[in-house]
């Protein structure tokens, strides 16, 4: 399986409900380094996985909808704990929608999957992997 990964970051504010979250139940900020990995079994006609420029642009646009936001105030996340794992899925699904819409080019239609990893720190991260 071939893959390429592009990277960006987001800064959000949010809070969690539930004793398991301890002090993170209070409003706090989080900065995530975000990696999006695109996979396919064979390279396309140009011998690439996907246009890296388009992949970078589309990741940036998806993240732009979340960046510098208090996620507690976003209607799409009402009543939801916006955990790192949950956000990885949200970003992966939004990127998948863009692949299907053709925003990453016609060659991207041959992609087999996407993995999105959100790095909370150098020691902790979470990922969501999905097929296309």
């Amino acid at each position: 399986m071939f893959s390429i990964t592009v990277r960006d970051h987001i800064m959000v504010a949010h809070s969690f409900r539930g004793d398991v979250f301890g002090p993170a139940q209070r409003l706090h900020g989080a900065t995530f380094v975000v990696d999006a990995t695109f996979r396919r079994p064979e390279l396309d006609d140009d011998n690439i996985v996907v246009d890296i420029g388009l992949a970078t642009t589309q990741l940036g646009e998806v993240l732009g909808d979340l960046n510098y936001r208090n996620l507690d105030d976003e209607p799409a996340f009402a009543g939801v704990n916006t955990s790192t794992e949950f956000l990885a899925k949200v970003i992966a699904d939004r990127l998948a929608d863009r692949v299907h819409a053709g925003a990453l080019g016609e060659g991207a239609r041959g992609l087999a999957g996407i993995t999105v990893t959100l790095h909370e720190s150098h020691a902790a991260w979470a990922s969501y992997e999905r097929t296309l």
Side-chain angles (χ1 to χ4, degrees):
M1 188 70 67
F2 293 94
S3 68
I4 65 130
T5 301
V6 295
R7 176 174 277 185
D8 204 333
H9 73 282
I10 54 172
M11 293 182 270
V12 300
H14 60 172
S15 61
F16 298 123
R17 285 169 310 289
D19 290 339
V20 68
F21 294 104
Q25 292 177 82
R26 293 187 296 275
L27 184 65
H28 63 280
T31 299
F32 298 105
V33 172
V34 181
D35 291 332
T37 300
F38 300 86
R39 296 181 320 281
R40 67 187 307 147
E42 301 294 332
L43 297 176
D44 71 8
D45 291 341
D46 296 310
N47 276 339
I48 61 174
V49 172
V50 70
D51 181 322
I52 198 167
L54 288 176
T56 301
T57 298
Q58 293 303 310
L59 176 60
E61 289 181 9
V62 166
L63 297 181
D65 293 338
L66 301 171
N67 204 20
Y68 291 107
R69 301 272 202 287
N70 179 347
L71 301 181
D72 295 349
D73 295 339
E74 294 296 312
F77 303 136
V80 175
N81 279 331
T82 52
S83 66
T84 306
E85 299 90 333
F86 174 83
L87 291 174
K89 182 181 185 313
V90 166
I91 295 165
D93 289 345
R94 290 180 181 182
L95 283 171
D97 290 344
R98 288 169 181 254
V99 168
H100 294 306
L104 280 87
E106 282 303 309
R109 296 194 190 280
L111 290 170
I114 297 174
T115 302
V116 171
T117 302
L118 273 68
H119 301 264
E120 293 188 46
S121 73
H122 68 283
W125 56 89
S127 298
Y128 180 77
E129 182 175 340
R130 60 161 291 158
T131 59
L132 291 172

